[in-house]
Amino acid sequence: MKIPFNKVYITGQEMTYVQDCLARGQIGGNGSYTDKVQRFIADRFDCRKVLLTTSGTTALEMATMLIGLQPGDEVIMPSFNFVSSANAVLLRGARPVFVDIDPETLNIDVSAIEAHINTRTKAIIPVHYAGVACKMDQIMDIARGHNLIVIEDAAQAVNAAYQDKYLGTIGHLGCYSFHATKNISCGEGGALLINTSEPNILERADILWEKGTNRRQFMQGQTDKYTWMDIGSSFLPADILAAILYAQLAEVDHITRRREEIYRCYLDLLQPYQSQGLLSLPNIPPGIRSNYHIFYCLLTSSLERSLVIDHLRQYGIQSTFHYVPLHSSPMGLKLGYKAADLPITERLSQNLLRLPLYPSLSQEEVDYVIKHVSVALEELKITAPGLDI
Ligand SMILES: *Cc1c(COP(=O)(O)O)cnc(C)c1O
């Protein structure tokens, strides 16, 4: 059996909408599917304003531009993270400040945030890892207390919630990704969610989105001149991609439900190995609704992890790990960090194993994955008794 790590979910409606788009010759940005998707996200997830972007990365870049980040400013984020939010900060000439994670969720350790706040701190970018919410109440309280902006990196968290509020709609700004590896996808795409009424952010967003021009107001007949107004870039995706996204979003509940079934199956079947102390399983805290983006477990060493990955590969199963912590990556070291600065991030990222999780994974395939994880763990007990497991 061959089980790839990820398979894109296709609803079957994508071609219909793409053909409609092509037939009408409206393939550029800010067309009717872009409008439909933006409305869908705003209504469904309850948010003030949504702008589709070309990726989650560019949504984050637009966010750091919108909040007026300057050289000398600092932005707090976890080091256990994808590179995009750190790049978005560096591209403004500002500095990412890395914080350790909470072992329970691998999200930013909220109790470590305040120690990193100083007069240069402008924002916090929490990441909802695996589609499980950060402690947003505490993060928003800290931000209020220090007058900081919160940009949620909700790239992995579309349709996940924290105390009945959808992720991406709680901070001042939120960023989604529709990359091919995410739950809802159009290949490459993203969205910026604007939840604040602050005019400097809300009113400038359309302008930054359209290369720094007032094209959107012009098209809506609100101004008679189309001209350069502010800094900006080209953040809007082709309407063809929005057409694909429109088909995908209609299935968001089905996709989430199927992922949940597989996730729960992994949890149940691996439980005995947790009881034996061979691995530790993820935990979704109360009050939080996951979108089941990632299934991970923590093994007890990186050697053990490599042995399990190798065993699975021999049986056609692709498993993987991430992230190389940002602070101890080559770029992090250039910024002056040392690996020992964030010990929990360093340790847990070496032990983390991710298993295949996508809607088309069959029960037979799930059973096959679990069987081989079990065999690998049993073999480890026999062949490497010296291992501290
Ligand atoms: C996927 C991802 C991004 C980047 O999204 P793209 O659409 O690939 O640019 C950013 N942050 C996190 C946490 C992600 O998982």
Side-chain angles (χ1 to χ4, degrees):
M1 209 180 282
K2 279 254 178 295
I3 304 184
F5 182 69
N6 190 42
K7 266 193 205 166
V8 173
Y9 177 80
I10 303 295
T11 69
Q13 274 300 306
E14 287 86 352
M15 275 311 281
T16 311
Y17 296 146
V18 168
Q19 269 164 354
D20 175 45
C21 203
L22 293 172
R24 287 187 295 113
Q26 288 187 4
I27 62 172
N30 201 10
S32 65
Y33 281 101
T34 299
D35 191 49
K36 280 193 173 101
V37 169
Q38 288 175 170
R39 280 173 205 270
F40 182 96
I41 294 173
D43 292 346
R44 161 83 202 222
F45 301 127
D46 193 16
C47 119
R48 191 183 294 269
K49 184 180 177 75
V50 181
L51 291 170
L52 281 191
T53 58
T54 50
S55 65
T57 301
T58 51
L60 285 158
E61 287 174 16
M62 199 178 152
T64 56
M65 222 182 242
L66 259 182
I67 67 167
L69 214 55
Q70 303 269 335
D73 291 344
E74 294 185 359
V75 177
I76 291 172
M77 66 182 70
S79 164
F80 184 72
N81 197 348
F82 191 59
V83 296
S84 299
S85 42
N87 277 325
V89 167
L90 284 173
L91 283 167
R92 301 283 95 216
R95 182 177 168 81
V97 172
F98 299 122
V99 174
D100 223 334
I101 44 172
D102 178 349
E104 196 194 3
T105 55
L106 313 190
N107 281 334
I108 192 165
D109 177 359
V110 171
S111 70
I113 292 177
E114 275 190 305
H116 292 86
I117 295 176
N118 61 46
T119 54
R120 295 182 294 278
T121 312
K122 287 294 175 321
I124 307 172
I125 309 186
V127 181
H128 305 298
Y129 177 67
V132 173
C134 297
K135 293 177 176 161
M136 287 310 293
D137 277 351
Q138 282 139 302
I139 291 172
M140 295 311 289
D141 279 347
I142 293 170
R144 240 181 317 262
H146 297 272
N147 203 19
L148 306 176
I149 299 273
V150 174
I151 302 169
E152 294 177 72
D153 181 339
Q156 302 179 3
V158 176
N159 203 36
Y162 174 81
Q163 292 173 0
D164 292 327
K165 277 191 158 166
Y166 283 101
L167 302 186
T169 71
I170 304 167
H172 300 85
L173 296 163
C175 301
Y176 286 169
S177 167
F178 302 116
H179 182 260
T181 56
K182 301 301 203 277
N183 292 19
I184 300 287
S185 161
C186 61
E188 299 279 354
L192 179 67
L193 281 65
I194 300 157
N195 310 310
T196 173
S197 57
E198 167 65 46
N200 218 13
I201 295 181
L202 188 64
E203 287 164 19
R204 279 174 60 238
D206 284 328
I207 292 171
L208 264 71
W209 191 57
E210 281 269 28
K211 300 111 182 156
T213 72
N214 60 351
R215 180 170 183 275
R216 199 168 197 211
Q217 283 176 308
F218 177 70
M219 299 303 278
Q220 289 168 349
Q222 291 164 11
T223 173
D224 58 0
K225 279 198 299 291
Y226 166 30
T227 184
W228 189 24
M229 305 291 287
D230 199 340
I231 186 173
S233 190
S234 183
F235 289 113
L236 59 175
D239 216 43
I240 301 170
L241 291 177
I244 295 177
L245 208 47
Y246 193 58
Q248 294 259 316
L249 280 165
E251 300 264 324
V252 64
D253 287 325
H254 170 72
I255 292 170
T256 307
R257 213 173 311 121
R258 181 68 198 125
R259 297 183 79 99
E260 177 174 9
E261 284 167 8
I262 297 162
Y263 182 100
R264 297 215 173 275
C265 197
Y266 276 144
L267 268 191
D268 285 351
L269 294 170
L270 289 172
Q271 196 62 50
Y273 298 95
Q274 174 161 266
S275 309
Q276 292 172 44
L278 292 172
L279 49 74
S280 93
L281 293 170
N283 178 34
I284 301 172
I288 283 175
R289 216 158 64 231
S290 178
N291 67 354
Y292 309 94
H293 175 59
I294 287 173
F295 183 87
Y296 72 89
C297 58
L298 295 165
L299 299 173
T300 55
S301 69
S302 77
L303 175 59
E304 187 184 329
R305 175 178 73 182
S306 322
L307 295 171
V308 173
I309 290 176
D310 287 347
H311 176 90
L312 294 178
R313 192 185 301 116
Q314 278 173 34
Y315 288 88
I317 303 162
Q318 215 181 6
S319 61
T320 182
F321 58 85
H322 67 180
Y323 299 103
V324 174
L326 297 183
H327 79 281
S328 57
S329 67
M331 186 64 189
L333 300 179
K334 263 193 252 175
L335 292 171
Y337 283 92
K338 296 184 300 300
D341 291 342
L342 302 172
I344 299 170
T345 298
E346 208 49 39
R347 179 166 55 83
L348 298 186
S349 69
Q350 290 181 19
N351 299 352
L352 184 139
L353 172 73
R354 298 173 62 190
L355 297 178
L357 175 58
Y358 40 88
S360 62
L361 203 64
S362 68
Q363 187 61 47
E364 191 191 359
E365 289 171 319
V366 172
D367 291 341
Y368 181 78
V369 172
I370 293 293
K371 180 181 129 191
H372 281 289
V373 171
S374 320
V375 172
L377 291 172
E378 297 292 345
E379 264 178 19
L380 277 170
K381 280 200 289 191
I382 299 158
T383 60
L387 265 184
D388 185 21
I389 57 176

